mmCIF file of all heavy atoms in Angstrom:
data_model
loop_
_atom_site.group_PDB
_atom_site.id
_atom_site.type_symbol
_atom_site.label_atom_id
_atom_site.label_comp_id
_atom_site.label_asym_id
_atom_site.label_seq_id
_atom_site.Cartn_x
_atom_site.Cartn_y
_atom_site.Cartn_z
ATOM 1 N N TYR A 56 35.064 11.760 82.839
ATOM 2 C CA TYR A 56 33.879 11.728 83.704
ATOM 3 C C TYR A 56 33.108 10.419 83.523
ATOM 4 O O TYR A 56 32.580 9.856 84.486
ATOM 5 C CB TYR A 56 32.969 12.924 83.408
ATOM 6 C CG TYR A 56 33.364 14.172 84.157
ATOM 7 C CD1 TYR A 56 33.767 15.321 83.488
ATOM 8 C CD2 TYR A 56 33.331 14.198 85.545
ATOM 9 C CE1 TYR A 56 34.132 16.463 84.179
ATOM 10 C CE2 TYR A 56 33.690 15.329 86.254
ATOM 11 C CZ TYR A 56 34.098 16.459 85.557
ATOM 12 O OH TYR A 56 34.453 17.574 86.257
ATOM 13 N N PHE A 57 33.027 9.955 82.280
ATOM 14 C CA PHE A 57 32.378 8.668 82.052
ATOM 15 C C PHE A 57 33.131 7.563 82.795
ATOM 16 O O PHE A 57 32.526 6.675 83.410
ATOM 17 C CB PHE A 57 32.330 8.353 80.552
ATOM 18 C CG PHE A 57 31.032 8.754 79.906
ATOM 19 C CD1 PHE A 57 31.028 9.645 78.845
ATOM 20 C CD2 PHE A 57 29.809 8.249 80.344
ATOM 21 C CE1 PHE A 57 29.838 10.030 78.246
ATOM 22 C CE2 PHE A 57 28.621 8.616 79.752
ATOM 23 C CZ PHE A 57 28.622 9.522 78.690
ATOM 24 N N ALA A 58 34.467 7.616 82.707
ATOM 25 C CA ALA A 58 35.273 6.591 83.382
ATOM 26 C C ALA A 58 35.090 6.646 84.889
ATOM 27 O O ALA A 58 35.154 5.611 85.573
ATOM 28 C CB ALA A 58 36.748 6.778 83.023
ATOM 29 N N LEU A 59 34.855 7.863 85.434
ATOM 30 C CA LEU A 59 34.649 7.996 86.877
ATOM 31 C C LEU A 59 33.221 7.687 87.286
ATOM 32 O O LEU A 59 32.881 7.687 88.468
ATOM 33 C CB LEU A 59 34.997 9.435 87.314
ATOM 34 C CG LEU A 59 36.475 9.826 87.248
ATOM 35 C CD1 LEU A 59 36.651 11.310 87.512
ATOM 36 C CD2 LEU A 59 37.292 9.001 88.237
ATOM 37 N N GLY A 60 32.349 7.460 86.301
ATOM 38 C CA GLY A 60 30.954 7.142 86.588
ATOM 39 C C GLY A 60 30.058 8.354 86.742
ATOM 40 O O GLY A 60 28.888 8.227 87.108
ATOM 41 N N ASP A 61 30.605 9.551 86.475
ATOM 42 C CA ASP A 61 29.798 10.777 86.571
ATOM 43 C C ASP A 61 29.135 11.041 85.220
ATOM 44 O O ASP A 61 29.596 11.851 84.414
ATOM 45 C CB ASP A 61 30.674 11.975 86.975
ATOM 46 C CG ASP A 61 31.255 11.809 88.364
ATOM 47 O OD1 ASP A 61 30.588 11.181 89.190
ATOM 48 O OD2 ASP A 61 32.362 12.326 88.599
ATOM 49 N N ARG A 62 28.031 10.335 84.978
ATOM 50 C CA ARG A 62 27.389 10.425 83.657
ATOM 51 C C ARG A 62 26.786 11.812 83.396
ATOM 52 O O ARG A 62 26.789 12.292 82.274
ATOM 53 C CB ARG A 62 26.291 9.357 83.547
ATOM 54 C CG ARG A 62 26.820 7.936 83.588
ATOM 55 C CD ARG A 62 25.704 6.916 83.489
ATOM 56 N NE ARG A 62 26.235 5.569 83.535
ATOM 57 C CZ ARG A 62 26.679 4.914 82.460
ATOM 58 N NH1 ARG A 62 26.631 5.494 81.281
ATOM 59 N NH2 ARG A 62 27.165 3.689 82.572
ATOM 60 N N ALA A 63 26.255 12.444 84.446
ATOM 61 C CA ALA A 63 25.642 13.763 84.248
ATOM 62 C C ALA A 63 26.692 14.772 83.776
ATOM 63 O O ALA A 63 26.485 15.513 82.818
ATOM 64 C CB ALA A 63 24.984 14.233 85.541
ATOM 65 N N GLU A 64 27.849 14.805 84.494
ATOM 66 C CA GLU A 64 28.919 15.720 84.106
ATOM 67 C C GLU A 64 29.409 15.419 82.695
ATOM 68 O O GLU A 64 29.651 16.327 81.896
ATOM 69 C CB GLU A 64 30.092 15.635 85.096
ATOM 70 C CG GLU A 64 29.824 16.252 86.457
ATOM 71 C CD GLU A 64 29.164 15.265 87.408
ATOM 72 O OE1 GLU A 64 28.641 14.247 86.932
ATOM 73 O OE2 GLU A 64 29.160 15.531 88.623
ATOM 74 N N ALA A 65 29.564 14.114 82.396
ATOM 75 C CA ALA A 65 30.046 13.727 81.074
ATOM 76 C C ALA A 65 29.072 14.172 79.986
ATOM 77 O O ALA A 65 29.478 14.739 78.964
ATOM 78 C CB ALA A 65 30.253 12.212 81.017
ATOM 79 N N SER A 66 27.783 13.925 80.208
ATOM 80 C CA SER A 66 26.782 14.299 79.212
ATOM 81 C C SER A 66 26.736 15.816 79.032
ATOM 82 O O SER A 66 26.607 16.328 77.911
ATOM 83 C CB SER A 66 25.404 13.783 79.629
ATOM 84 O OG SER A 66 25.423 12.382 79.762
ATOM 85 N N PHE A 67 26.844 16.539 80.156
ATOM 86 C CA PHE A 67 26.818 17.991 80.093
ATOM 87 C C PHE A 67 27.999 18.519 79.278
ATOM 88 O O PHE A 67 27.842 19.393 78.405
ATOM 89 C CB PHE A 67 26.868 18.545 81.520
ATOM 90 C CG PHE A 67 26.663 20.033 81.593
ATOM 91 C CD1 PHE A 67 25.407 20.579 81.372
ATOM 92 C CD2 PHE A 67 27.713 20.877 81.881
ATOM 93 C CE1 PHE A 67 25.211 21.944 81.455
ATOM 94 C CE2 PHE A 67 27.523 22.236 81.962
ATOM 95 C CZ PHE A 67 26.279 22.781 81.746
ATOM 96 N N LEU A 68 29.184 18.001 79.550
ATOM 97 C CA LEU A 68 30.382 18.446 78.822
ATOM 98 C C LEU A 68 30.274 18.129 77.337
ATOM 99 O O LEU A 68 30.530 18.982 76.480
ATOM 100 C CB LEU A 68 31.621 17.755 79.396
ATOM 101 C CG LEU A 68 32.465 18.529 80.405
ATOM 102 C CD1 LEU A 68 33.722 17.740 80.716
ATOM 103 C CD2 LEU A 68 32.831 19.909 79.885
ATOM 104 N N LEU A 69 29.913 16.888 77.034
ATOM 105 C CA LEU A 69 29.840 16.486 75.623
ATOM 106 C C LEU A 69 28.707 17.218 74.908
ATOM 107 O O LEU A 69 28.778 17.473 73.703
ATOM 108 C CB LEU A 69 29.664 14.972 75.521
ATOM 109 C CG LEU A 69 30.844 14.149 76.071
ATOM 110 C CD1 LEU A 69 30.542 12.657 75.979
ATOM 111 C CD2 LEU A 69 32.125 14.467 75.315
ATOM 112 N N GLY A 70 27.651 17.570 75.664
ATOM 113 C CA GLY A 70 26.580 18.347 75.048
ATOM 114 C C GLY A 70 27.070 19.719 74.614
ATOM 115 O O GLY A 70 26.589 20.283 73.619
ATOM 116 N N PHE A 71 28.039 20.266 75.333
ATOM 117 C CA PHE A 71 28.580 21.573 74.970
ATOM 118 C C PHE A 71 29.340 21.525 73.654
ATOM 119 O O PHE A 71 29.560 22.575 73.032
ATOM 120 C CB PHE A 71 29.500 22.098 76.074
ATOM 121 C CG PHE A 71 28.782 22.917 77.096
ATOM 122 C CD1 PHE A 71 28.681 22.483 78.405
ATOM 123 C CD2 PHE A 71 28.188 24.118 76.741
ATOM 124 C CE1 PHE A 71 28.014 23.228 79.347
ATOM 125 C CE2 PHE A 71 27.521 24.868 77.679
ATOM 126 C CZ PHE A 71 27.432 24.433 78.990
ATOM 127 N N VAL A 72 29.749 20.332 73.267
ATOM 128 C CA VAL A 72 30.409 20.199 71.970
ATOM 129 C C VAL A 72 29.515 20.761 70.867
ATOM 130 O O VAL A 72 29.954 21.511 69.986
ATOM 131 C CB VAL A 72 30.751 18.716 71.695
ATOM 132 C CG1 VAL A 72 31.174 18.538 70.241
ATOM 133 C CG2 VAL A 72 31.851 18.256 72.636
ATOM 134 N N PHE A 73 28.241 20.426 70.926
ATOM 135 C CA PHE A 73 27.318 20.894 69.895
ATOM 136 C C PHE A 73 27.066 22.397 70.015
ATOM 137 O O PHE A 73 26.862 23.081 69.014
ATOM 138 C CB PHE A 73 26.006 20.112 69.989
ATOM 139 C CG PHE A 73 26.180 18.629 69.753
ATOM 140 C CD1 PHE A 73 26.245 17.745 70.821
ATOM 141 C CD2 PHE A 73 26.311 18.133 68.466
ATOM 142 C CE1 PHE A 73 26.419 16.390 70.615
ATOM 143 C CE2 PHE A 73 26.485 16.777 68.250
ATOM 144 C CZ PHE A 73 26.542 15.899 69.320
ATOM 145 N N VAL A 74 27.092 22.903 71.251
ATOM 146 C CA VAL A 74 26.950 24.350 71.428
ATOM 147 C C VAL A 74 28.138 25.073 70.813
ATOM 148 O O VAL A 74 27.993 26.077 70.116
ATOM 149 C CB VAL A 74 26.818 24.695 72.924
ATOM 150 C CG1 VAL A 74 26.713 26.203 73.109
ATOM 151 C CG2 VAL A 74 25.615 23.999 73.525
ATOM 152 N N VAL A 75 29.348 24.558 71.058
ATOM 153 C CA VAL A 75 30.564 25.156 70.497
ATOM 154 C C VAL A 75 30.508 25.120 68.976
ATOM 155 O O VAL A 75 30.847 26.100 68.302
ATOM 156 C CB VAL A 75 31.820 24.421 71.019
ATOM 157 C CG1 VAL A 75 33.062 24.909 70.286
ATOM 158 C CG2 VAL A 75 31.971 24.645 72.508
ATOM 159 N N ILE A 76 30.078 23.976 68.436
ATOM 160 C CA ILE A 76 29.962 23.868 66.974
ATOM 161 C C ILE A 76 28.960 24.900 66.449
ATOM 162 O O ILE A 76 29.198 25.573 65.438
ATOM 163 C CB ILE A 76 29.539 22.444 66.561
ATOM 164 C CG1 ILE A 76 30.682 21.461 66.833
ATOM 165 C CG2 ILE A 76 29.146 22.401 65.084
ATOM 166 C CD1 ILE A 76 30.325 20.014 66.560
ATOM 167 N N GLY A 77 27.832 25.056 67.152
ATOM 168 C CA GLY A 77 26.819 26.024 66.720
ATOM 169 C C GLY A 77 27.349 27.445 66.719
ATOM 170 O O GLY A 77 27.125 28.201 65.765
ATOM 171 N N ILE A 78 28.062 27.819 67.789
ATOM 172 C CA ILE A 78 28.638 29.171 67.854
ATOM 173 C C ILE A 78 29.648 29.375 66.733
ATOM 174 O O ILE A 78 29.678 30.414 66.066
ATOM 175 C CB ILE A 78 29.295 29.398 69.233
ATOM 176 C CG1 ILE A 78 28.216 29.468 70.317
ATOM 177 C CG2 ILE A 78 30.133 30.661 69.233
ATOM 178 C CD1 ILE A 78 28.764 29.575 71.712
ATOM 179 N N THR A 79 30.490 28.364 66.514
ATOM 180 C CA THR A 79 31.504 28.470 65.462
ATOM 181 C C THR A 79 30.858 28.613 64.091
ATOM 182 O O THR A 79 31.302 29.420 63.260
ATOM 183 C CB THR A 79 32.418 27.226 65.480
ATOM 184 O OG1 THR A 79 32.976 27.078 66.783
ATOM 185 C CG2 THR A 79 33.538 27.371 64.458
ATOM 186 N N LEU A 80 29.808 27.828 63.847
ATOM 187 C CA LEU A 80 29.102 27.929 62.564
ATOM 188 C C LEU A 80 28.518 29.327 62.373
ATOM 189 O O LEU A 80 28.602 29.899 61.277
ATOM 190 C CB LEU A 80 27.978 26.881 62.491
ATOM 191 C CG LEU A 80 28.414 25.419 62.321
ATOM 192 C CD1 LEU A 80 27.196 24.502 62.377
ATOM 193 C CD2 LEU A 80 29.142 25.224 60.990
ATOM 194 N N ALA A 81 27.946 29.885 63.435
ATOM 195 C CA ALA A 81 27.360 31.227 63.331
ATOM 196 C C ALA A 81 28.425 32.267 63.032
ATOM 197 O O ALA A 81 28.239 33.139 62.172
ATOM 198 C CB ALA A 81 26.626 31.571 64.628
ATOM 199 N N GLN A 82 29.573 32.175 63.727
ATOM 200 C CA GLN A 82 30.652 33.134 63.487
ATOM 201 C C GLN A 82 31.229 32.989 62.089
ATOM 202 O O GLN A 82 31.480 33.977 61.390
ATOM 203 C CB GLN A 82 31.750 32.950 64.533
ATOM 204 C CG GLN A 82 31.343 33.402 65.935
ATOM 205 C CD GLN A 82 32.340 32.973 66.982
ATOM 206 O OE1 GLN A 82 33.043 31.972 66.824
ATOM 207 N NE2 GLN A 82 32.418 33.718 68.067
ATOM 208 N N GLU A 83 31.455 31.743 61.674
ATOM 209 C CA GLU A 83 32.010 31.495 60.332
ATOM 210 C C GLU A 83 31.069 32.014 59.254
ATOM 211 O O GLU A 83 31.494 32.609 58.273
ATOM 212 C CB GLU A 83 32.252 29.990 60.135
ATOM 213 C CG GLU A 83 33.484 29.456 60.840
ATOM 214 C CD GLU A 83 34.719 29.534 59.955
ATOM 215 O OE1 GLU A 83 34.602 30.001 58.809
ATOM 216 O OE2 GLU A 83 35.797 29.135 60.426
ATOM 217 N N ARG A 84 29.773 31.774 59.451
ATOM 218 C CA ARG A 84 28.811 32.198 58.432
ATOM 219 C C ARG A 84 28.741 33.719 58.349
ATOM 220 O O ARG A 84 28.659 34.282 57.262
ATOM 221 C CB ARG A 84 27.423 31.619 58.749
ATOM 222 C CG ARG A 84 26.398 31.865 57.675
ATOM 223 C CD ARG A 84 26.829 31.256 56.340
ATOM 224 N NE ARG A 84 26.044 31.770 55.232
ATOM 225 C CZ ARG A 84 26.534 32.095 54.047
ATOM 226 N NH1 ARG A 84 27.833 31.988 53.814
ATOM 227 N NH2 ARG A 84 25.756 32.536 53.096
ATOM 228 N N LYS A 85 28.802 34.365 59.506
ATOM 229 C CA LYS A 85 28.786 35.832 59.524
ATOM 230 C C LYS A 85 30.014 36.385 58.802
ATOM 231 O O LYS A 85 29.917 37.301 57.979
ATOM 232 C CB LYS A 85 28.771 36.315 60.977
ATOM 233 C CG LYS A 85 28.559 37.819 61.132
ATOM 234 C CD LYS A 85 28.474 38.172 62.604
ATOM 235 C CE LYS A 85 28.217 39.660 62.791
ATOM 236 N NZ LYS A 85 28.178 40.052 64.222
ATOM 237 N N THR A 86 31.166 35.804 59.088
ATOM 238 C CA THR A 86 32.399 36.219 58.424
ATOM 239 C C THR A 86 32.326 35.928 56.936
ATOM 240 O O THR A 86 32.719 36.739 56.099
ATOM 241 C CB THR A 86 33.603 35.485 59.051
ATOM 242 O OG1 THR A 86 33.638 35.769 60.445
ATOM 243 C CG2 THR A 86 34.902 35.932 58.420
ATOM 244 N N GLN A 87 31.813 34.747 56.593
ATOM 245 C CA GLN A 87 31.746 34.339 55.192
ATOM 246 C C GLN A 87 30.838 35.259 54.388
ATOM 247 O O GLN A 87 31.156 35.631 53.258
ATOM 248 C CB GLN A 87 31.228 32.896 55.113
ATOM 249 C CG GLN A 87 31.414 32.240 53.751
ATOM 250 C CD GLN A 87 31.172 30.742 53.857
ATOM 251 O OE1 GLN A 87 31.985 30.026 54.425
ATOM 252 N NE2 GLN A 87 30.065 30.277 53.346
ATOM 253 N N ARG A 88 29.721 35.654 54.990
ATOM 254 C CA ARG A 88 28.808 36.567 54.285
ATOM 255 C C ARG A 88 29.487 37.902 54.015
ATOM 256 O O ARG A 88 29.319 38.494 52.949
ATOM 257 C CB ARG A 88 27.534 36.782 55.106
ATOM 258 C CG ARG A 88 26.519 35.659 54.977
ATOM 259 C CD ARG A 88 25.137 36.118 55.419
ATOM 260 N NE ARG A 88 25.140 36.564 56.812
ATOM 261 C CZ ARG A 88 24.863 35.790 57.837
ATOM 262 N NH1 ARG A 88 24.560 34.520 57.649
ATOM 263 N NH2 ARG A 88 24.872 36.267 59.062
ATOM 264 N N ALA A 89 30.253 38.382 55.003
ATOM 265 C CA ALA A 89 30.965 39.651 54.809
ATOM 266 C C ALA A 89 31.974 39.540 53.674
ATOM 267 O O ALA A 89 32.080 40.407 52.815
ATOM 268 C CB ALA A 89 31.664 40.070 56.106
ATOM 269 N N LEU A 90 32.732 38.430 53.663
ATOM 270 C CA LEU A 90 33.732 38.239 52.603
ATOM 271 C C LEU A 90 33.073 38.076 51.240
ATOM 272 O O LEU A 90 33.565 38.585 50.224
ATOM 273 C CB LEU A 90 34.605 37.016 52.919
ATOM 274 C CG LEU A 90 35.562 37.174 54.106
ATOM 275 C CD1 LEU A 90 36.261 35.853 54.388
ATOM 276 C CD2 LEU A 90 36.586 38.265 53.839
ATOM 277 N N GLU A 91 31.956 37.366 51.195
ATOM 278 C CA GLU A 91 31.269 37.168 49.916
ATOM 279 C C GLU A 91 30.752 38.485 49.358
ATOM 280 O O GLU A 91 30.803 38.729 48.153
ATOM 281 C CB GLU A 91 30.116 36.174 50.090
ATOM 282 C CG GLU A 91 30.584 34.719 50.216
ATOM 283 C CD GLU A 91 29.453 33.781 50.622
ATOM 284 O OE1 GLU A 91 28.324 34.279 50.849
ATOM 285 O OE2 GLU A 91 29.708 32.582 50.714
ATOM 286 N N SER A 92 30.266 39.365 50.244
ATOM 287 C CA SER A 92 29.783 40.657 49.760
ATOM 288 C C SER A 92 30.935 41.475 49.208
ATOM 289 O O SER A 92 30.792 42.193 48.211
ATOM 290 C CB SER A 92 29.093 41.425 50.890
ATOM 291 O OG SER A 92 30.014 41.794 51.897
ATOM 292 N N LEU A 93 32.129 41.353 49.828
ATOM 293 C CA LEU A 93 33.297 42.055 49.312
ATOM 294 C C LEU A 93 33.716 41.483 47.967
ATOM 295 O O LEU A 93 34.086 42.211 47.045
ATOM 296 C CB LEU A 93 34.461 41.953 50.307
ATOM 297 C CG LEU A 93 34.280 42.681 51.636
ATOM 298 C CD1 LEU A 93 35.435 42.364 52.563
ATOM 299 C CD2 LEU A 93 34.164 44.174 51.429
ATOM 300 N N ARG A 94 33.671 40.159 47.827
ATOM 301 C CA ARG A 94 34.057 39.541 46.553
ATOM 302 C C ARG A 94 33.095 39.933 45.434
ATOM 303 O O ARG A 94 33.499 40.125 44.291
ATOM 304 C CB ARG A 94 34.104 38.027 46.711
ATOM 305 C CG ARG A 94 35.320 37.557 47.511
ATOM 306 C CD ARG A 94 35.219 36.093 47.872
ATOM 307 N NE ARG A 94 36.285 35.719 48.784
ATOM 308 C CZ ARG A 94 36.261 34.636 49.548
ATOM 309 N NH1 ARG A 94 35.222 33.829 49.515
ATOM 310 N NH2 ARG A 94 37.273 34.357 50.343
ATOM 311 N N ASP A 95 31.825 40.064 45.771
ATOM 312 C CA ASP A 95 30.867 40.496 44.758
ATOM 313 C C ASP A 95 31.217 41.895 44.272
ATOM 314 O O ASP A 95 31.128 42.188 43.075
ATOM 315 C CB ASP A 95 29.445 40.505 45.344
ATOM 316 C CG ASP A 95 28.899 39.088 45.514
ATOM 317 O OD1 ASP A 95 29.463 38.165 44.893
ATOM 318 O OD2 ASP A 95 27.935 38.911 46.272
ATOM 319 N N LEU A 96 31.626 42.772 45.216
ATOM 320 C CA LEU A 96 31.989 44.120 44.813
ATOM 321 C C LEU A 96 33.271 44.144 43.997
ATOM 322 O O LEU A 96 33.432 44.947 43.086
ATOM 323 C CB LEU A 96 32.168 45.000 46.068
ATOM 324 C CG LEU A 96 30.898 45.467 46.760
ATOM 325 C CD1 LEU A 96 31.246 46.125 48.086
ATOM 326 C CD2 LEU A 96 30.133 46.442 45.883
ATOM 327 N N SER A 97 34.214 43.259 44.346
ATOM 328 C CA SER A 97 35.526 43.290 43.689
ATOM 329 C C SER A 97 35.585 42.418 42.438
ATOM 330 O O SER A 97 36.615 42.349 41.785
ATOM 331 C CB SER A 97 36.615 42.819 44.672
ATOM 332 O OG SER A 97 36.391 41.484 45.049
#
Side-chain angles (χ1 to χ4, degrees):
Y56 275 117
F57 265 122
L59 291 172
D61 296 329
R62 295 179 180 274
E64 288 87 343
S66 301
F67 188 73
L68 262 187
L69 296 177
F71 270 115
V72 168
F73 298 100
V74 178
V75 172
I76 291 175
I78 291 175
T79 305
L80 288 176
Q82 290 169 333
E83 283 270 0
R84 187 59 195 139
K85 188 176 182 182
T86 302
Q87 193 167 288
R88 280 199 300 267
L90 290 175
E91 285 170 357
S92 67
L93 293 174
R94 286 170 188 161
D95 286 343
L96 284 171
S97 63

